[in-house]
Amino acid sequence: MSQLHTPAPQTRLPPQAVQAVQAALHAIPMNATVGVRITDVGLGWAEGECPDTPPYRNHLGTIHAGAQFLLAEAVSGAAFAGAFAAHLAGAVPLIEKLETHYVGRARGDLSARAEALAGDLPAALQAYGAEGRARLVVNVSVRDGEDKEVMRAVAHWYLRAAPRGS
């Protein structure tokens, strides 16, 4: 993940938009099964959490990489949705790639923050307006109950206008 670029401004979405993004991501069965929750959403950023529950621990007794991956994907999707909130009703968001780097053993409840780079947002929005499709990269940091970073991820999201008549 690049640390040389400025993260997106911390503009929060209106409450109804935050609730819509939360509802969409909480309705995904796998997120609900593992307990992934989106706690806040803004313009190109989001935060989320995942509880430490025994069924989702690995052979070391720490939180399984799959649960961390799921949280990173969900929070990156929420950040992406926050960037394109005004367009989601007529669009199809898709994740193309999620690059992960596990940097420590996860103990306790997980929290995550995802952010697009501020400089990338205007170009992505302009591309969607002009072409009906856009890409946006979102950086994610997952922390454990000891507030230690345990995973970094880079999510590559794609948005295309929904076909007319669907």
Side-chain angles (χ1 to χ4, degrees):
M1 292 187 332
S2 174
Q3 300 298 321
L4 301 175
H5 300 285
T6 305
Q10 302 307 297
T11 303
R12 193 163 191 271
L13 295 180
Q16 65 273 23
V18 172
Q19 292 167 358
V21 171
Q22 288 172 322
L25 286 154
H26 296 168
I28 296 170
M30 193 61 156
N31 288 346
T33 298
V34 177
V36 168
R37 302 219 15 98
I38 302 303
T39 57
D40 205 359
V41 182
L43 181 62
W45 63 268
E47 295 176 344
E49 60 191 18
C50 180
D52 176 5
T53 53
Y56 305 110
R57 291 188 189 144
N58 59 27
H59 61 289
L60 301 172
T62 59
I63 300 174
H64 194 280
Q68 296 175 58
F69 183 97
L70 189 62
L71 176 59
E73 179 187 26
V75 78
S76 73
F80 182 78
F84 288 96
H87 306 286
L88 288 178
V92 178
L94 299 165
I95 190 164
E96 295 181 304
K97 177 170 46 171
L98 184 65
E99 303 166 2
T100 58
H101 180 67
Y102 298 93
V103 295
R105 292 184 181 151
R107 294 179 176 85
D109 296 343
L110 298 176
S111 63
R113 180 161 178 91
E115 297 182 31
L117 299 178
D120 293 350
L121 290 173
L125 290 166
Q126 182 180 19
Y128 185 77
E131 303 165 19
R133 61 180 180 241
R135 286 184 164 78
L136 189 64
V137 174
V138 179
N139 293 320
V140 182
S141 175
V142 177
R143 303 185 84 75
D144 71 0
E146 299 171 355
D147 197 32
K148 174 183 71 204
E149 187 175 52
V150 294
M151 177 201 197
R152 290 183 208 117
V154 179
H156 299 257
W157 282 89
Y158 174 71
L159 186 71
R160 66 172 171 82
R164 293 182 184 212
S166 55

